[in-house]
DNA sequence: CGCCGACTTGACACCAATCAAGATAAGTGG
DNA sequence: CCACTTATCTTGATTGGTGTCAAGTCGGCG
């Protein structure tokens, strides 16, 4: 890693709050919970008062590693982050991607259980756990928001369990592409262009397969007219309808 | 379903509390968090004051179904429960099993996202969400415990993602058998006998495979001297050491 | 423009899904 | 409690999807 890949740009002061967002208790659409129902500005300010802002200048920088002592909770402001777990044989499973407003850094017995690395240049807010705990004791509302976030992430994890347990690579990849296309930061709705900014290996480690199979699945999605590869990491979504159908069938609840 | 499969035996009063257990904030071993650090007796009593106790007389009874209006949160007292999700093609993925002290019934937009059924005869505590919300606002400590539980379940879900993404059926089944062997309710440490009380289909739906593959995996585990099938649903664990190794390699953090 | 790493595609071996049939267990009623 | 009936389980055979090795191509970066 180069020097100055990470820069602590400032101690966040009031009025420059981190953007942590949530919905009330048992609500929260899998996707939309991230962009609705901002915390009140007081809550924002209180969080801001204990936050440090970190600038990560490129993708692939470790924020923390599995097993390290956990002293902070993190929130994504700009860019995105991948969370992964390694086993002793060196295999890696990417568990989730975190975007604007998402929290990460869960621990167990004081150690991080996952590794977090930037998946793009990113701005990250960092909260010392000690001070966060004190703040939470004083602010039940903030606690509810954290709980809501945790439940949301749990639902997402369960969705991923269904994907890995039930679907072929083709559909899992379609699902990933759909999810990514919901982020304006990397998807241009006008040109239908999506900047994946992930290697085939990263995608494979998320889908639970190999880079070769990911390449083949892309090739099949292209054959079926769902997308086109402009470069390996920039794709054009040709049939958003069909893509959404591959995804939404099993995302929605049968009400 | 027969009449009287479920019986509301009582409105729980103080002193007869549900047993909801948790550990402090960022702690909690994947397995042990369930049996340490009981809530204070006051907290127990407060939860009890809004709980109803339900007796389910056999396995396979629906507690609630995916898509239904969510009005309750549930906790397991005796027996165990399976949580699953269905897609439109009729496939089913079992997401988790819930045991003594585990909470279930997460919702989204007021609807349950999963289905819950008994996996054995069971005693279940039921909390009305409305009253629970009021209680939580008054009791920040209780909130922290809920948050801890949610984070614990999130870690378990992530563990399942790793299993589904990285391991063959053989190892996934070994992992399930190991997990089940940690529950004295169904595992007799003296005789080394484990009462699975799940069909091959249930196991398959949890491991993301078919009943036939589960039978084959059992056959291989038996060939390798790890276990013996006394009946299809009662197995004897012959080599707990080897079983634990198949599981624990990837459960522990690389500290 | 050239190099290096990432991506794609083919070939092959292996694991998994499915169909089918026979064996075994569990549930039912006498 | 036993015999019967039904469902579950096990195993074999076959097909299809996936993991892996290898080689060639392409894109991004210096």
């Amino acid at each position: 890693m180069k020097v100055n890949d990470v820069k602590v740009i400032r101690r966040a002061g009031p009025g420059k709050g981190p953007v942590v967002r949530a919905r009330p208790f048992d609500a929260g659409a899998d996707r939309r919970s991230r962009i609705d129902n901002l915390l009140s500005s007081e809550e924002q300010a209180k969080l801001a008062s204990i936050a440090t802002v970190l600038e990560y200048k490129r993708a692939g920088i470790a924020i923390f590693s599995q097993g390290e002592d956990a002293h902070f909770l993190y929130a994504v402001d700009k860019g995105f982050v991948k969370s992964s777990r390694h086993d002793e044989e060196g295999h890696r499973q990417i568990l989730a991607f975190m975007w604007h407003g998402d929290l990460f850094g869960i621990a167990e017995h004081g150690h991080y259980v996952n590794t977090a690395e930037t998946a793009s240049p990113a701005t990250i807010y960092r909260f010392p756990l000690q001070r966060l705990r004190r703040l939470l004791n004083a602010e039940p509302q903030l606690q509810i928001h954290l709980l809501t976030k945790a439940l949301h992430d749990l639902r997402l994890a369960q969705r991923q369990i269904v994907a890995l347990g039930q679907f072929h690579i083709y559909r899992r990849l379609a699902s990933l592409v759909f999810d990514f296309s919901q982020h304006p930061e990397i998807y241009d709705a006008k040109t239908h262009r999506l900047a994946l900014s992930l290697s085939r290996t990263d995608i494979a480690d998320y889908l639970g397969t190999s880079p070769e199979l990911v390449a083949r699945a892309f090739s099949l999605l292209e054959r079926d007219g769902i997308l086109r590869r402009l470069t390996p990491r920039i794709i054009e979504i040709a049939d958003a309808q069909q893509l959404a159908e591959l995804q939404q069938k099993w995302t929605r609840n049968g009400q």
Side-chain angles (χ1 to χ4, degrees), chain A:
Chain A
M1 190 193 299
K2 297 177 212 158
V3 184
N4 283 346
D5 271 346
V6 189
K7 196 172 170 186
V8 180
I9 51 168
R10 61 177 176 277
R11 192 86 190 177
K16 274 209 158 179
V19 194
V20 178
R21 297 161 170 194
R23 292 173 69 87
F25 197 41
D26 63 352
D30 268 3
R31 211 167 326 289
R32 253 153 297 162
S33 75
R34 310 278 159 164
I35 46 177
D36 302 350
N37 295 35
L38 217 66
L39 294 188
S40 74
S41 50
E42 302 137 69
E43 287 175 321
Q44 295 274 348
K46 274 167 189 153
L47 268 181
S49 69
I50 65 166
T52 301
V53 183
L54 305 172
E55 291 278 355
Y56 293 86
K57 305 209 170 164
R58 56 177 183 83
I61 308 173
I63 300 169
F64 55 80
S65 295
Q66 187 176 334
E68 281 180 12
D69 285 6
H71 299 297
F72 302 101
L73 183 71
Y74 296 84
V76 179
D77 182 24
K78 297 205 194 83
F80 72 113
V81 171
K82 54 195 180 198
S83 169
S84 59
R85 200 174 293 189
H86 301 261
D87 64 21
E88 302 179 352
E89 287 117 54
H91 298 131
R92 181 182 68 153
Q93 176 73 38
I94 294 185
L95 297 163
F97 299 103
M98 274 84 63
W99 308 82
H100 176 73
D102 291 339
L103 299 173
F104 62 102
I106 67 173
E108 184 177 5
H109 300 312
H111 296 270
Y112 290 118
V113 293
N114 303 324
T115 296
E117 311 167 67
T118 55
S120 72
T123 306
I124 306 290
Y125 286 83
R126 190 180 73 180
F127 309 97
L129 282 181
Q130 290 247 352
R131 305 187 65 183
L132 184 62
R133 260 188 225 103
R134 281 204 296 276
L135 189 57
L136 286 180
N137 279 323
E139 300 282 335
Q141 273 314 103
L142 210 51
Q143 257 188 54
I144 291 247
H145 286 298
L146 279 202
L147 178 57
T148 303
K149 279 241 166 258
L151 291 177
H152 174 263
D153 288 346
L154 179 56
R155 285 195 300 269
L156 279 188
Q158 291 180 339
R159 193 166 71 96
Q160 183 69 356
I161 289 175
V162 175
L164 293 170
Q166 303 290 130
F167 301 130
H168 291 183
I169 306 293
Y170 180 91
R171 203 153 166 200
R172 290 187 221 163
L173 179 58
S175 173
L176 178 147
V177 170
F178 180 86
D179 284 346
F180 273 52
S181 75
Q182 302 304 110
H183 292 275
E185 216 173 326
I186 54 167
Y187 181 63
D188 182 341
K190 284 204 199 68
T191 61
H192 299 166
R193 285 189 184 184
L194 178 67
L196 280 174
S197 74
L198 289 176
S199 69
R200 293 293 184 260
T201 300
D202 279 344
I203 296 174
D205 287 349
Y206 179 68
L207 302 183
T209 185
S210 61
E212 293 93 330
L213 263 279
V214 173
R216 274 187 238 280
F218 266 121
S219 156
L220 292 178
L221 285 168
E222 190 163 349
R223 179 203 63 186
D224 294 346
I226 293 173
L227 54 78
R228 290 196 310 138
R229 286 168 290 188
L230 305 181
T231 78
R233 301 190 188 190
I234 298 178
I235 63 175
E236 184 183 287
I237 295 179
D239 190 342
Q241 182 62 33
Q242 212 179 330
L243 186 64
E245 277 164 18
L246 280 170
Q247 151 89 9
Q248 284 174 343
K249 262 186 194 166
W250 55 278
T251 296
R252 252 206 317 271
N253 318 333
Q255 301 218 345

